[in-house]
Amino acid sequence: MKQWISLVLCACLAVSLCGLPAYAADDRIEVTEDISVSADYDWTRFAGKNVTLNVYNWGEYISNGSDESVDVVSAFEQLTGIRLNYTTFDSNETMYAKIKSGAANYDVIVPSDYMVAKMAAEGMLAELDLENIPNLALIDEEYKNRDFDPGNRYSVPYMWCTTGIIYNTTMVETAPQRWADLWNEEYAGSILMFNNSRDAYAIGAFKLGQSINPDTVEEMAAVMDELKAQKPLVQAYVMDEIFDKMEGGEAAVGVYYSGDAITMIDDNPDLAWVFPEEGVNLSIDNLCVPATSQNREAAEMFINYLCEVDVGVANCDFIGYSTPSSAVREQLDEELSESPIAYPADEVLANAQVFTNLSDEINDELDVQWSEMKSYNEGGNAYAMLFLLAAGVLLAGFNIWRKLRKKMRNDY
Amino acid sequence: MKLNNRKLAAPYLVWMVLFTVVPLLIVVYYAFTNVEGAFTLENLARVGGYGSVFVRSLLLALEATVLCLILAFPVAYFLSRLRASKQHIMLMLVMLPMWMNFLLRTYAWMGLLSVNGPINTLLGFLGLGPYTMLNTAGAVVLGMVYNYVPYMILPLYTSMTKIDASIVEAAQDLGANVRQTLVRILIPLSVPGICTGITMVFVPSVSTFAISRMLGGGANLLIGDLIEMQFLGNSYNLNVGSAMSLVLMVIVLLCMSFTSSFDEDEMEGVM
């Protein structure tokens, strides 16, 4: 009987403890002097359980305490008692290859729009339990429910940016206005293009007024022909090398992402940015949980944490990309929150297109044509291979002949 | 345990089987199968479509190898004729660049060759230029030569130190002029070094991808870039990528069998 009473008492105690607000009247928990998070969330449920989250993010894509920034990573560890194992990648495709190979186990990844669609279609993403991510409400409607993930079943927007043209005002007579200007002889030899097939394709598609997500191979071939025609004018196909080349005045006109353009213009005030008239590519990077994750709930907690206003502000300050949350934008320095590059006018965004996943057939064909375009200035494909085979056979024949001759000599 | 006990090689043998032989077999498997795992020759047929890239890679690597040989031969000869103490210092100088990271050195060339770079600035003082040097096939060859020339000098030097000075003197005493000494004495006696050097420069040159990316401006695609695109590119096609690697391996094997056939008898302690 006594046991029963004590059990009931224990139960009452437990219920009353749970019922009590874990944190007093103030609805914010101050983690560090820069970061306080909503108290209306059970942040500590994994404390002391020795949980480690493997986070796989783009390089330089979180405020991690370097350059005297706010360290949101250690603040999360302090808040929740969850350890973060943070690693980085440099392209969606690298990240995809690593997850696909199954060689590594991650809990939170940050794919871009089209990669979310691709991974979701292949069953590589876990469906999110939005109950655990109440801060999704802080994200603006226009970044939710996009074609690549209707209803945000798999992804929560993290950052976004657009593409556009960056140019050196001292090196061009007339400023570029449109994507089509990248085919202008005036800039011959000083144009920098994207060295990745999807982004480069989008530019050709905008010029022709087509969708940046081709449905048919014919549609794609037309755009690739444009890129081939542009090749003699292009100085180089680059990715991050563009920072040095634009800042150093090596090239006059380049195409890149708005978030990075802000950094470049900071370093070289001669540079200017333009949103081409034909439209821009709006690219949204998203927080997702891979299907193989063993700590989904903790991963969702981390995603929720990244959506907190203070954390978002720290990240935006550090990264320079645009936030999908108005609440975060309002807290930013005016220089950044009112930047016409980071937050373009509505008419620019009205014209923006977002990447979606392409079918395997189109993806394959895109890569074939892309590499063909890049090796295009040398003709005679079929003959070249024949020449190669002939050279190989000749070489082998010569070897055999030498061996035979040597053997005959030795026989004497 | 006797020192010639074969079991001593076991750790390395296990290592080699695990990390060389097995991966090679996996590459072969992928090259001859499709996504479903069924046998197919389609991957190899698709590699044929990239013939121009293969030819370009081979030609550029060939140019780089020949340039390395021309540059390295006299250097190696004079090195081998120096006093022993000086030889050590000079050899160290040859190897010095290799102490720095390969990517870093190539990156430095990017700055040097650029339109606003130091080379063009210097030429500007002389009233020349500016020349477009970066993002050309020439820049790629330069990058290869710069990075791989030590691999040509070292084997050449090793084989030349074995040439007795008295042999050269004898040739000259018997009336051979400089050209004859070179063609009939020095070159034949350094064939093992030449062969090793050619292999050690040609093979990395033909498969490089970082150099063409940085100095070729992404427009001078090489086999290495192509293979990288299959594994880390938009299409993610392991099978075609493996088929390309296989073709590349066959090319390299052919090249090695060609060079090694020259020095089967003379080859000793160089490789």
Side-chain angles (χ1 to χ4, degrees), chain A residues 93 96 197 235-237 244-245 248-250 363 366-368 370-371 374-375 378 381 384 388 398-399 402-403, chain B residues 50-53 55-56 58 107 114-116 134-135 217-219 229 232-236 257-258 261-262 264:
Chain A
E93 283 70 24
Y96 172 84
S197 51
Q235 183 189 88
Y237 295 87
D244 282 347
K245 290 186 192 258
E250 178 73 12
N363 256 334
L366 184 64
D367 249 28
V368 170
W370 170 249
S371 44
K374 292 222 288 178
S375 52
E378 240 149 15
N381 278 345
L388 204 71
F398 181 71
N399 263 337
R402 277 183 59 91
K403 287 255 165 68
Chain B
Y50 295 101
S52 64
V53 180
V55 171
R56 191 214 315 266
L58 288 175
Y107 196 79
S114 63
V115 176
N116 299 320
L134 197 60
N135 308 324
M229 273 171 65
L232 298 177
N234 185 37
S235 72
Y236 188 67
S257 79
F258 175 70
S261 73
F262 275 101
E264 269 162 356

Side-chain angles (χ1 to χ4, degrees), chain B residues 162-213:
Chain B
K162 291 183 190 142
I163 303 176
D164 202 320
S166 55
I167 296 178
V168 179
E169 281 162 18
Q172 282 167 341
D173 281 351
L174 295 172
N177 59 24
V178 174
R179 202 184 62 85
Q180 280 169 323
T181 321
L182 189 70
V183 174
R184 304 187 63 168
I185 308 292
L186 281 180
I187 293 183
L189 283 177
S190 46
V191 158
I194 295 178
C195 292
T196 315
I198 288 179
T199 316
M200 285 175 76
V201 172
F202 184 78
V203 172
S205 300
V206 85
S207 55
T208 183
F209 65 93
I211 295 178
S212 61
R213 163 95 42 87

Side-chain angles (χ1 to χ4, degrees), chain A residues 87-136:
Chain A
T87 43
T88 61
F89 56 86
D90 59 4
S91 79
N92 277 306
E93 283 70 24
T94 318
M95 184 268 299
Y96 172 84
K98 199 150 179 188
I99 306 247
K100 186 83 180 173
S101 74
N105 195 5
Y106 293 104
D107 300 304
V108 178
I109 53 175
V110 191
S112 304
D113 31 46
Y114 69 97
M115 194 49 81
V116 171
K118 184 181 168 94
M119 294 178 86
E122 293 178 20
M124 293 165 72
L125 296 181
E127 254 186 79
L128 297 177
D129 182 359
L130 295 182
E131 296 270 303
N132 284 328
I133 312 176
N135 283 342
L136 183 63

Side-chain angles (χ1 to χ4, degrees), chain B residues 10-269:
Chain B
Y12 182 69
L13 275 180
V14 171
W15 176 272
M16 202 169 69
V17 167
L18 273 182
F19 298 110
T20 312
V21 179
V22 171
L24 273 179
L25 291 179
I26 296 175
V27 168
V28 173
Y29 168 79
Y30 270 109
F32 286 104
T33 52
N34 59 14
V35 182
E36 280 87 41
F39 177 82
T40 176
L41 286 174
E42 200 199 327
N43 300 320
L44 283 172
R46 270 182 66 181
V47 175
Y50 295 101
S52 64
V53 180
F54 277 77
V55 171
R56 191 214 315 266
S57 303
L58 288 175
L59 285 179
L60 291 187
L62 199 69
E63 279 176 40
T65 313
V66 171
L67 278 173
C68 278
L69 186 58
I70 293 173
L71 283 173
F73 195 88
V75 174
Y77 180 71
F78 292 120
L79 258 177
S80 69
R81 302 296 112 175
L82 284 173
R83 265 190 292 126
S85 58
K86 276 193 182 163
Q87 279 187 22
H88 288 302
I89 297 173
M90 298 304 279
L91 263 188
M92 204 187 71
L93 285 178
V94 169
M95 304 225 270
L96 192 69
M98 293 205 271
W99 296 0
M100 245 168 294
N101 184 287
F102 157 81
L103 287 176
L104 213 62
R105 281 179 280 147
T106 313
Y107 196 79
W109 272 112
M110 247 173 93
L112 285 175
L113 293 178
S114 63
V115 176
N116 299 320
I119 295 179
N120 265 320
T121 316
L122 265 181
L123 288 174
F125 286 129
L126 303 173
L128 298 168
Y131 296 104
T132 312
M133 292 183 285
L134 197 60
N135 308 324
T136 58
V140 178
V141 173
L142 175 77
M144 290 174 180
V145 171
Y146 175 75
N147 280 307
Y148 301 132
V149 81
Y151 298 107
M152 184 67 95
I153 296 179
L154 292 178
L156 274 176
Y157 161 81
T158 319
S159 65
M160 280 177 179
T161 46
K162 291 183 190 142
I163 303 176
D164 202 320
S166 55
I167 296 178
V168 179
E169 281 162 18
Q172 282 167 341
D173 281 351
L174 295 172
N177 59 24
V178 174
R179 202 184 62 85
Q180 280 169 323
T181 321
L182 189 70
V183 174
R184 304 187 63 168
I185 308 292
L186 281 180
I187 293 183
L189 283 177
S190 46
V191 158
I194 295 178
C195 292
T196 315
I198 288 179
T199 316
M200 285 175 76
V201 172
F202 184 78
V203 172
S205 300
V206 85
S207 55
T208 183
F209 65 93
I211 295 178
S212 61
R213 163 95 42 87
M214 289 204 248
L215 300 178
N220 289 285
L221 216 60
L222 299 186
I223 310 177
D225 300 288
L226 216 51
I227 295 174
E228 195 222 3
M229 273 171 65
Q230 300 306 316
F231 288 94
L232 298 177
N234 185 37
S235 72
Y236 188 67
N237 198 328
L238 296 183
N239 305 92
V240 172
S242 302
M244 284 172 183
S245 313
L246 199 64
V247 173
L248 181 60
M249 269 191 276
V250 170
I251 292 172
V252 168
L253 274 179
L254 269 177
C255 150
M256 283 176 68
S257 79
F258 175 70
T259 49
S260 68
S261 73
F262 275 101
D263 55 7
E264 269 162 356
D265 306 325
E266 303 100 307
M267 195 80 157
E268 38 187 29

